[in-house]
Amino acid sequence: MAFAYLHVFAEPIVELCETNLLQRDLVLRTDAESALRSGANNSAFFVWHTDAHVDPFYLTDLRECQKRNLTLLEAHPFGIMSCDPPERLLRSAFAASARIGAPNASFVLYTGDFVRHAIRQMPDPYENASQIVANVSRAAKEAFEDLPVLFGTLGNSDSREDYYQELTDNESSNPWFEKLGSAIHSQGGMKPEVLEQFTYGSYYETREGQLTILSLATVIYSVDHLPYGPLEKDPFGQFRWLRQRLQLAAADGRHVWIVGHISPGIETFAYTELWYPQYVEAYLEIVQDPVLGPWIAAQLFGHVHKDELRLLPEPPASAGPIFLSSSLSPVYYNNPSFKLVEYDPISGRLLNLQTFISDRFEAPEADWIFGYDHLKQYGLAGLSMAELQNFTERLLEGGESYERYASWYASGYPNELEHYSLKAANWNATWKWQRRRQYVCALVIRTAEDFENCSGTQVLRSWQLPFMERFDRLILGRLWSWAQGSSLPLAQQIKHLAAANQWEELLRLFKGLVEWSLQSGTPLESALLTA
């Protein structure tokens, strides 16, 4: 935090700060160039950004971050931990990734959530949300003038209300998708042929060189999707479309990439389900098809604000990996980040990922440094699904592989996973193994019921908490999943209140403690033992 106040000190210290920033920029460029050189001769690259959650009202009374006063925010012009950032942080990230990627990157990918949280607290959510999408798209095109920008993947925040997307299957186009598609297209973030596809259901196919990309609409599968109503078997016909596109790719002998915002399966903050079970099963039936599955080179998602992998429960031969990326927004306690993705332009296979972070974004100038290389950090021979399965088995053991993985879960920010390794002090070995098992069970894409059978942890379902803010539901889910694996007296109190549906009382008693555990990067035990 001290970096925020360097500008008020003596001039020599300011000069030292500027020198350090230049040195860090040199490290950034040197590591980036090393990463580019380390690829095979036939490697290609693209830049991957996600979850910016830009707040144009950052320095006003309408800001998302009501927990911080304006004086403090004014001292942090690029953003502050636990808050959605201003556009200034986004432009800094775009500028840094443009320096890294050019001239080697082939294109720029964005996997959703342009818009800040607390959408309904903006003065005109409908217009404000669409304008933020347009502003982010324009900023990207200004930073990457000569590169294609793929900005059509929508997140749950990219609407007039969180998770709100009207199902208009029987219409030729959806008014909201028309509005956002036009906004992105007008700023250079969407090709005309993509816009034609996008306006119906917001999913589309595009090609960059020899790489085929299928961008999915995922909010429609979310357990939080609005407006509530009977579940359709195949919203917007997307599952049928996905199968058809994969069949054509298989017939052509062409690998494809699937990108989206919300991944199927279980999230690892509160261990709650992300998609409705029937949609998880429908998706797995397609991507695990023994004929179609091998042609999926990789799957990339955002949403969770953490660096994670995912596994298919029954992967077909030669199945590609699945990765979830940490976010630009630090609202959920992670260092802002973006990625450089290396792939084989001939086969389409994913070769490597390099993550870049800003661990001093709270300073007067947000600078960016090289974070880690997936292959080197995890000791992997490659990024196939089979290799990730073997790696996940090592995560359960809690040794060096687990320590390395946990250290970058939140892009270098302290987090509770780091306390579950074999070497971590002050915690019972059996308890740590149970927490690792819970986490590893969530890495496999499965329904809530299957996760419960794997982990022994009951999942708090969304229908148990109707009409409650999403973050409050996550807080309650975190308390519930923790209490089931704890012998502390407070765990019994939490389970008793949950059984009585005393959700507001649980939030009153424990919400602040859960947020403190997030901020400090420690397990809930640490917070609750001091309660």
Side-chain angles (χ1 to χ4, degrees), residues 146-454:
D146 301 322
L147 290 183
V149 177
L150 280 59
F151 268 44
T153 305
L154 298 183
N156 49 283
S157 291
D158 301 326
S159 187
R160 70 185 191 192
E161 184 177 353
D162 204 13
Y163 290 93
Y164 191 94
Q165 285 186 359
E166 290 190 37
L167 297 179
T168 54
D169 299 52
N170 297 325
E171 305 295 329
S172 60
S173 65
N174 177 292
W176 182 245
F177 299 154
E178 280 188 3
K179 186 175 183 65
L180 290 195
S182 297
I184 298 171
H185 171 67
S186 68
Q187 303 300 328
M190 183 178 289
K191 302 174 184 176
E193 58 269 26
V194 169
L195 179 61
E196 292 179 9
Q197 304 172 62
F198 181 87
T199 55
Y200 173 68
S202 79
Y203 57 86
Y204 63 88
E205 176 182 21
T206 188
R207 296 192 188 186
E208 292 300 334
Q210 298 187 54
L211 197 64
T212 300
I213 298 172
L214 303 179
S215 176
L216 300 184
T218 57
V219 178
I220 53 177
Y221 304 140
S222 170
V223 295
D224 296 303
H225 174 248
L226 297 173
Y228 293 116
L231 297 183
E232 296 185 9
K233 182 178 180 180
D234 186 9
F236 290 115
Q238 183 172 229
F239 287 136
R240 181 178 68 252
W241 170 85
L242 177 60
R243 182 176 290 276
Q244 290 173 344
R245 303 323 297 173
L246 290 174
Q247 287 171 337
L248 288 173
D252 293 342
R254 175 170 39 88
H255 284 96
V256 304
W257 288 49
I258 293 176
V259 303
H261 183 67
I262 306 172
S263 72
I266 304 295
E267 53 80 25
T268 59
F269 170 72
Y271 295 102
T272 60
E273 55 189 342
L274 292 169
W275 290 16
Y276 282 106
Q278 54 265 54
Y279 296 144
V280 175
E281 292 169 350
Y283 186 74
L284 289 176
E285 184 179 345
I286 297 172
V287 299
Q288 293 188 147
D289 184 290
V291 176
L292 305 180
W295 295 101
I296 303 173
Q299 299 180 54
L300 305 179
F301 297 93
H303 185 62
V304 297
H305 292 223
K306 299 294 182 284
D307 260 12
E308 299 192 84
L309 61 86
R310 288 293 185 269
L311 301 174
L312 296 174
E314 299 178 7
S318 304
I322 305 172
F323 286 105
L324 283 58
S325 179
S326 51
S327 62
L328 179 66
S329 172
V331 67
Y332 295 134
Y333 297 95
N334 58 276
N335 286 319
S337 70
F338 60 83
K339 287 179 169 55
L340 187 66
V341 182
E342 181 184 354
Y343 66 98
D344 186 324
I346 306 301
S347 69
R349 287 293 184 183
L350 173 59
L351 299 177
N352 200 5
L353 298 166
Q354 288 97 26
T355 295
F356 296 81
I357 68 169
S358 181
D359 58 351
R360 300 183 186 177
F361 70 97
E362 293 180 315
E365 291 293 336
D367 58 325
W368 298 83
I369 61 171
F370 179 79
Y372 74 105
D373 177 296
H374 277 54
L375 287 179
K376 294 178 181 177
Q377 180 72 10
Y378 301 150
L380 302 175
L383 294 184
S384 67
M385 180 68 68
E387 186 76 15
L388 293 185
Q389 285 179 310
N390 294 332
F391 177 71
T392 303
E393 292 176 5
R394 299 200 298 274
L395 292 183
L396 189 58
E397 297 169 359
E400 183 179 359
S401 293
Y402 178 87
E403 292 173 8
R404 286 171 170 264
Y405 180 88
S407 69
W408 286 104
Y409 173 69
S411 304
Y413 189 80
N415 68 88
E416 69 163 330
L417 290 188
E418 295 176 283
H419 296 263
Y420 304 151
S421 71
L422 288 176
K423 292 182 180 179
N426 303 326
W427 303 109
N428 177 274
T430 301
W431 174 82
K432 291 192 294 184
W433 180 85
Q434 290 172 339
R435 294 303 182 188
R436 293 197 303 272
R437 181 186 67 169
Q438 184 182 46
Y439 181 78
V440 168
C441 284
L443 295 185
V444 180
I445 293 177
R446 50 175 115 229
T447 64
E449 183 179 357
D450 290 336
F451 170 75
E452 290 172 339
N453 292 335
C454 174

Side-chain angles (χ1 to χ4, degrees), residues 49-94:
H49 286 273
T50 194
D51 293 83
H53 289 288
V54 172
D55 185 6
F57 303 101
Y58 177 74
L59 292 178
T60 76
D61 290 337
L62 298 172
R63 64 193 181 279
E64 173 271 333
C65 192
Q66 294 294 320
K67 68 182 79 171
R68 309 287 190 186
N69 63 55
L70 284 174
T71 302
L72 181 62
L73 296 183
E74 287 170 355
H76 297 82
F78 288 88
I80 190 170
M81 193 63 73
S82 81
C83 299
D84 280 332
E87 187 175 314
R88 196 169 181 178
L89 180 65
L90 171 85
R91 288 185 173 273
S92 173
F94 282 167

